[in-house]
Structures are given as C-alpha cells and as structure tokens.
Amino acid sequence: MFLYVVLCFLDFVSHTNAATLSFERNKQSVDFVGFFWQITDIHYDGNYSISGVPTNMCHQSTSKLNNGTKLGIYGDFLCDSPWQLVTSAIEGMRANNAEPDFIIWTGDSIPHVNNSELDRTEVFKIIGNVTRKLAEVFPNISIFPVLGNHDPYPANQMPPGSDGYYGGILKNSHWENILDSDQQTQFNNGGYYSSYIQSNLRLLALNTNLYYQLDTLVKDMEDPAGQLAWFEKQLIDCRSKKEKAYVISHVPPGAFERLARMSWFYPQFNQQYLKIIADYSDIIIGQFYGHEHTDSFRLLIDQHDEAINTMFLSPAVTPWKSTLPGVGANNPSIRLYSYIKETGVVIDYKQYYLNLTEANSLHKADWKLEYQATEAFNIPDLSPTSLDRLSESFRDNDYMFNKYLVINTVGYDTNPQCNSTCKRNQICAIRQLNLDRYADCISGRRDTTFRPVLTTHHHHGKPDRKPVPRYMFYIIGSMAGVILLLTILFAVLCFNRGKRRRVPFKYGRFAGPIN
Ligand SMILES: *[C@@H]1O[C@H](CO)[C@@H](O)[C@H](O)[C@H]1NC(C)=O
Ligand SMILES: *[C@@H]1O[C@H](CO)[C@@H](O)[C@H](O)[C@H]1NC(C)=O
Ligand SMILES: *[C@@H]1O[C@H](CO)[C@@H](O)[C@H](O)[C@H]1NC(C)=O
Ligand SMILES: *[C@@H]1O[C@H](CO)[C@@H](O)[C@H](O)[C@H]1NC(C)=O
Ligand SMILES: *[C@@H]1O[C@H](CO)[C@@H](O)[C@H](O)[C@H]1NC(C)=O
Ligand SMILES: *[C@@H]1O[C@H](CO)[C@@H](O)[C@H](O)[C@H]1NC(C)=O
Ligand SMILES: *[C@@H]1O[C@H](CO)[C@@H](O)[C@H](O)[C@H]1NC(C)=O
Ligand SMILES: [Zn+2]
Ligand SMILES: [Zn+2]
C-alpha cells in the first residue's frame, strides 16, 4: 500500500520532470555543448630522417658503415616527431573538429636530445614552428599554451621568475601572436597567466615545471615565481565573482602510474599544490595535464575518502619510447573534450590517435577515434564520483582494467601483461596523489587504494560521533508525523486518479499486478 502510494507520487512528479529532462537533453545536443582540443608533448625533432638510425633518435647516420634503416615518414617508436607527424596531428585536429571553442596546448615541443645539441635560439625556433602551424590551421580559434619541462634551455631548468627566457618565448616563439597583452604581461613573471574562456569560466594556465624535481633552480625556494600565491589569489577571486576555473599545465602532481615511487613534484610543492586544489575543489571544474605521454587520469581523494576532483592526463603526439625501464611507447594522439557551455562542466572526451605502423605502411595519416571516455568505460559522465567508481572497479574487473591498460599506451601495447605489482602501481598512482598515502599504498602497508570497510573506517578515518542531541528526536518525530499525513493525503488522491489513469509500465513493473 505504502509502496503503491510512493510509486503513484513518483508518477505524478515525473510528468513535470520528464519535460524538464528532455529539454535538458535537447539543450545539450544543440549548441549547449562546447568542444575543445588538447594537444601535448609534440617533441618535434627537425633532425628526424627516414634514413636515420633508430638508436640515434632517427637522426641521419653519421657512420658510413650503416646505410640507415628505412624509417616511417610519420615517425618511429624509438624517435621523436618528424615535422610530417606534427603537421599531420594538427591537421588531424581540423579534420575531426575544425571549430572548437578553443585549444589547449600543454607543452614539451623540444625533442629528447642532449643539451649540447641545442641552445636557446634553437629552442625558441622549434616552439615557434609549432606555434605557427597551430595558428595557421586554426586562425580564428583561441590557443592557450603552457610550457613543458623540455621547453627551457637547458632542459628542466625553468627560471623561477622574470627572465629573458619568457620574453624570448613570447617574441621568438610567436606566443605574442596567440596571447593578448594582459596575458603576456602575466606570462613574463614566470610562465603563467589567466584568461577567460567565457564570462563565468576562468582559465588558469600554470607553469608546474617550477615544481618538477629536475628543476635545480627552484630547489630551496618557498614559492617559485610567486605562482602558488597567485594561483590561490585567482581562485579566491573566482569564488567571490562566482566563477569556475579550468587549470591547464604540463607536469601533473602525484606519481607516474607505470613505475613505482616515481613522483614528479618536489614533495613540499606536491603538498602545497594539492592543498590549493582541495581547498578550491568547488571552483576548479577541470584540470588538464600532459608530460607522461600515457593516457591516464588522477583523482584527488580527501581525508574522508571522498573523490573531490579529477585531473585528465592526455597522451602525447610523439611516439617516442621512454628511456625509463619498462615504460614503453605510445601511438600519437590528440584529444577532444566536450563540456556544457553554460556551466563549464566537462562531460566527455574523444581520444583520437594515429596508428603509426599503419600510417607508415600506407603512407597516409588517418587520425581515427580510439575511444570515447563515457562509452569505453561505461560511465555516465566524467565526474569525480564516476571516475572514483571506475578506478575502484579496476581491482576486480579484469575486462575494464585491461581495456584501460591498452588505452594507457594508446594501443601501442594491445596485449598488456600486468601482474599484481604493475596493477598496484597503476591504481595507487591514480588514486593517491598525497605522497605519504601513495607510499603506503605502493608498499602495501596500508590498503589505501580502496575504500576501507566501514568498521575500520570509523576507527581511523573519522572522529568519534558526538551524541545525538535530544531536540533531534523531536524534529525526526514531527517529520515522521508529516510524512504519515502526506501518505494518507496522496493515498486518497491516488485512488481517485487510479480510476482514470493506469500506472505506467515502468512503475508497474515494480509495483506488481496493479491491473
Ligand atoms: C651499404 O650499402 C652498400 C652498397 O649498397 C653495401 O655494399 C654495403 O654492404 C651496405 N652496408 C651495410 C652495413 O648494410
Ligand atoms: C646524449 O649523451 C649521452 C652521453 O654523452 C649519449 O650516450 C647519448 O647517446 C646522447 N643522446 C643523444 C640523443 O644524442
Ligand atoms: C640537428 O643537426 C644539426 C647538424 O648536425 C645539429 O647542429 C643540431 O644540433 C641538431 N639538432 C638537434 C635538435 O638534434
Ligand atoms: C622553423 O622556423 C624557422 C625559423 O622561423 C624556419 O626557418 C624553418 O623553416 C621552420 N621549420 C619548419 C619545419 O617550419
Ligand atoms: C576569421 O575571422 C575573420 C573576422 O571575423 C573572418 O573575416 C575570416 O574569414 C575568418 N577566417 C576563417 C578561416 O574562418
Ligand atoms: C595498427 O595497425 C596494425 C597494422 O595494420 C595492426 O596490427 C594494429 O592492431 C593496429 N593497432 C591499433 C591499436 O589499432
Ligand atoms: C611483476 O613483474 C615485474 C616486472 O616484470 C617484476 O619485477 C615483479 O616482481 C613482478 N611482481 C610479482 C608480484 O610477480
Ligand atoms: Zn613530454
Ligand atoms: Zn614533460
């Protein structure tokens, strides 16, 4: 009886809701959904040669003894991107969506060569080559760039403050053509700036290379280039103006998922950075990084084991096989996100890729859809809650975890072998950005990877409950009374309605034989 009344009530309400919902859906399918591209880790190598030697980064063989292997025109898994691959990737973006709302370009345009082979002028030129091509293919689209750890000279030595380097990037790498004058002024202070995507959505373009452990210039600094203070100030401003924010940067916080105990930031910066993200997780509704070359994501999980924010890690354009042991290579990739324009909420992304082997053998670059996130992972959206459930499911759902592993290398490894150590590395990196918790997770000292069972949770996680005050009983008592009255009221209403209308099938299914 009570169930019937509830179902009838739901039916009643659903008529108004159904109309709103279908409106929402229509809204999203027309121009209420926006799109933007992410391109990252291009690592353009001007010395790539199809007659080069793979063990020498595919550079022209210097030894007359070696006649040179015939390498692919689009590149090789042992090498960085030839120009042909760079242009192909940017044209692949245009082929798959020529009119994005904007483009984020998250750094690392310089090849993985020794410092001795480069200088600042060369670095500016290489980045400038990529800037030109992007601006040429997308002349009327906002391009938001950030620097990668390979982009300064010498590599990784990002200057912590105003320096000729930043001015050089603006001038000689042509960023003055894609950033407005206000952004340029900010950028000159340390490679970071803010912009507006739309009136209620701010873009915070950070230079997290300043926290990277290989940057020796920042080692003993408290706040390199004053960026942390600036970051927080921007977020405070967003909060007071009721704006949301996207964060774009190159190096992500946390650890690498393909190796144990390899974190990127200096520990103190990792902690400070995460604290800001956590404190403003209601403002930050999207975070986009590169650097790892692999396809992954991160969840910021608070001390109550609540997933409160997501970081998207987009894979690289360069197919280059990492020199780190066991890390591997990847197919070249570009990524298209979709978001609700009104709110800025990221709802999905499509990962496009170039099958490098196939492109080289066909002499034709066909940038295809690799997967669409919500569909491949069978999740309703990309909210922290959904990605929390997904990453938890990796423990027991071999099918889904395996799918993720193939995606992790952009299909370079189509039959990944991942034992329990490898699996732990993956899941701990995704779910534990705090380095202490990450270390506990990796060592297995504490199973922080997965939500603890309730009983232990009360001991460790949350403070003891306070006794329930007496007035709460009165409140609950009177609410129960109101619910009882409402039930009777709706029972009367429903029985009258029931004479005229049938309960729709979808509720009838649960309610048993009504008719
Ligand atoms: C290189 O090419 C020459 C002439 O085609 C040939 O005689 C020689 O054996 C080749 N060397 C190697 C290492 O393949
Ligand atoms: C860089 O230098 C090291 C040591 O001098 C050398 O072994 C390596 O081959 C060089 N790498 C490149 C890409 O030239
Ligand atoms: C490319 O080759 C030239 C000529 O050998 C050399 O001077 C330059 O350093 C190389 N550049 C890179 C990025 O390896
Ligand atoms: C890169 O930029 C330099 C300097 O502007 C130019 O000479 C060179 O042709 C460019 N290379 C490519 C592949 O566009
Ligand atoms: C870019 O915008 C300008 C001015 O709005 C317009 O005249 C031009 O045709 C646009 N170019 C392209 C390629 O859409
Ligand atoms: C790429 O193409 C090769 C050769 O056509 C094929 O064997 C391989 O499965 C393809 N990889 C992906 C990820 O589609
Ligand atoms: C998993 O594989 C790695 C590398 O192949 C190996 O070092 C490690 O000991 C293996 N772990 C387990 C639990 O077998
Ligand atoms: Zn890179
Ligand atoms: Zn990098």
Side-chain angles (χ1 to χ4, degrees):
M1 151 71 192
F2 182 72
L3 182 64
Y4 173 70
V5 172
V6 169
L7 290 168
C8 171
F9 174 71
L10 284 176
D11 177 40
F12 208 56
V13 173
S14 74
H15 281 271
T16 33
N17 269 354
T20 333
L21 278 177
S22 78
F23 174 66
E24 292 285 336
R25 230 172 276 130
N26 284 338
K27 260 171 61 169
Q28 290 187 15
S29 59
V30 196
D31 50 12
F32 290 85
V33 170
F35 297 92
F36 64 95
W37 281 110
Q38 181 176 8
I39 184 168
T40 196
D41 295 87
I42 291 172
H43 295 280
Y44 160 44
D45 187 348
N47 285 9
Y48 182 93
S49 158
I50 53 167
S51 57
V53 189
T55 50
N56 184 27
M57 289 295 287
C58 304
H59 292 177
Q60 195 74 47
S61 169
T62 45
S63 161
K64 289 270 182 278
L65 285 175
N66 191 330
N67 289 334
T69 332
K70 275 288 171 218
L71 294 166
I73 55 170
Y74 292 105
D76 188 273
F77 289 114
L78 290 173
C79 304
D80 274 325
S81 305
W83 187 243
Q84 188 102 342
L85 177 61
V86 179
T87 57
S88 164
I90 296 171
E91 279 152 16
M93 289 159 74
R94 179 171 58 190
N96 285 292
N97 190 324
E99 288 179 341
D101 294 329
F102 58 97
I103 293 167
I104 57 176
W105 167 26
T106 44
D108 266 7
S109 301
I110 305 302
H112 297 88
V113 296
N114 288 336
N115 284 324
S116 58
E117 301 188 39
L118 298 167
D119 56 31
R120 244 187 202 182
T121 315
E122 185 73 7
V123 159
F124 291 151
K125 191 190 85 186
I126 294 168
I127 298 171
N129 287 144
V130 180
T131 311
R132 276 234 170 93
K133 184 65 194 179
L134 274 167
E136 177 197 308
V137 174
F138 293 99
N140 282 357
I141 309 285
S142 300
I143 299 165
F144 298 114
V146 289
L147 293 163
N149 58 300
H150 282 274
D151 294 333
Y153 179 85
N156 305 314
Q157 305 312 307
M158 192 60 82
S162 199
D163 181 280
Y165 169 68
Y166 297 111
I169 292 285
L170 290 171
K171 195 165 183 321
N172 304 323
S173 302
H174 321 300
W175 286 20
E176 61 187 8
N177 298 344
I178 57 174
L179 295 178
D180 70 24
S181 61
D182 179 46
Q183 292 157 13
Q184 289 178 45
T185 309
Q186 296 182 61
F187 184 83
N188 250 323
N189 294 328
Y192 54 88
Y193 62 91
S194 70
S195 182
Y196 277 99
I197 289 165
Q198 55 196 40
S199 63
N200 61 352
L201 184 58
R202 203 179 289 205
L203 178 100
L204 302 176
L206 302 181
N207 185 4
T208 49
N209 307 297
L210 292 168
Y211 312 132
Y212 191 35
Q213 291 191 38
L214 297 180
D215 188 350
T216 55
L217 305 176
V218 299
K219 207 167 162 196
D220 300 314
M221 298 189 95
E222 227 158 71
D223 181 8
Q227 183 175 230
L228 289 169
W230 175 88
F231 187 26
E232 185 153 18
K233 198 162 155 278
Q234 287 285 326
L235 290 164
I236 290 169
D237 200 39
C238 284
R239 186 174 276 160
S240 75
K241 293 183 176 144
K242 297 195 164 37
E243 298 167 9
K244 301 292 181 190
Y246 280 178
V247 169
I248 68 167
S249 199
H250 180 70
V251 186
F256 191 30
E257 74 277 5
R258 294 182 70 89
L259 290 174
R261 298 181 185 83
M262 189 174 161
S263 55
W264 304 118
F265 288 11
Y266 285 102
Q268 74 272 22
F269 295 139
N270 194 72
Q271 198 178 346
Q272 289 174 70
Y273 188 83
L274 292 182
K275 183 171 187 320
I276 296 176
I277 304 284
D279 287 351
Y280 298 90
S281 63
D282 57 322
I283 307 293
I284 299 167
I285 55 171
Q287 295 185 69
F288 311 92
Y289 301 87
H291 180 63
E292 291 199 347
H293 298 196
T294 53
D295 183 334
S296 193
F297 61 95
R298 297 288 179 268
L299 281 169
L300 186 58
I301 296 182
D302 70 7
Q303 65 269 42
H304 309 302
D305 285 304
E306 202 78 49
I308 55 170
N309 221 295
T310 313
M311 304 178 187
F312 297 106
L313 272 53
S314 176
V317 168
T318 185
W320 181 76
K321 185 173 193 284
S322 173
T323 49
L324 295 167
V327 170
N330 55 278
N331 277 303
S333 71
I334 49 178
R335 183 182 278 190
L336 183 71
Y337 294 90
S338 53
Y339 68 106
I340 299 176
K341 280 197 176 181
E342 209 172 299
T343 57
V345 171
V346 178
I347 47 177
D348 211 349
Y349 67 77
K350 286 182 174 175
Q351 186 63 51
Y352 292 89
Y353 79 115
L354 182 69
N355 183 328
L356 186 60
T357 317
E358 191 181 87
N360 282 335
S361 73
L362 300 178
H363 287 86
K364 185 173 165 290
D366 183 13
W367 288 80
K368 286 184 291 209
L369 180 67
E370 183 196 5
Y371 70 96
Q372 179 169 348
T374 54
E375 188 195 42
F377 294 130
N378 192 24
I379 46 178
D381 51 43
L382 300 181
S383 64
T385 313
S386 294
L387 291 168
D388 182 21
R389 280 199 207 112
L390 172 68
S391 62
E392 277 198 324
S393 79
F394 288 165
R395 179 175 52 168
D396 301 317
N397 186 337
D398 289 341
Y399 170 77
M400 204 50 96
F401 184 58
N402 199 61
K403 194 181 226 180
Y404 162 78
L405 287 175
V406 175
I407 278 168
N408 192 225
T409 63
V410 199
Y412 169 74
D413 189 353
T414 48
N415 185 24
Q417 303 301 312
C418 188
N419 64 16
S420 60
T421 313
C422 154
K423 188 175 200 169
R424 185 189 287 172
N425 292 347
Q426 280 280 358
I427 302 177
C428 291
I430 290 173
R431 297 180 58 84
Q432 303 298 344
L433 288 154
N434 173 294
L435 297 182
D436 293 333
R437 289 179 65 134
Y438 170 78
D440 283 351
C441 183
I442 283 289
S443 68
R445 271 200 301 275
R446 195 157 49 118
D447 192 11
T448 45
T449 307
F450 309 107
R451 218 173 283 293
V453 286
L454 270 176
T455 46
T456 57
H457 189 72
H458 279 298
H459 279 292
H460 300 290
K462 288 184 177 164
D464 286 338
R465 276 173 194 280
K466 284 186 187 141
V468 180
R470 182 170 280 265
Y471 64 85
M472 281 305 292
F473 289 109
Y474 295 124
I475 292 175
I476 292 167
S478 18
M479 278 170 67
V482 171
I483 288 169
L484 184 66
L485 278 173
L486 278 176
T487 309
I488 293 166
L489 179 69
F490 271 96
V492 174
L493 269 176
C494 283
F495 281 127
N496 286 335
R497 270 160 52 82
K499 286 176 192 154
R500 278 174 277 124
R501 284 187 58 248
R502 295 169 61 193
V503 174
F505 175 70
K506 61 175 173 162
Y507 298 126
R509 202 155 44 106
F510 299 110
I514 288 175
N515 285 316

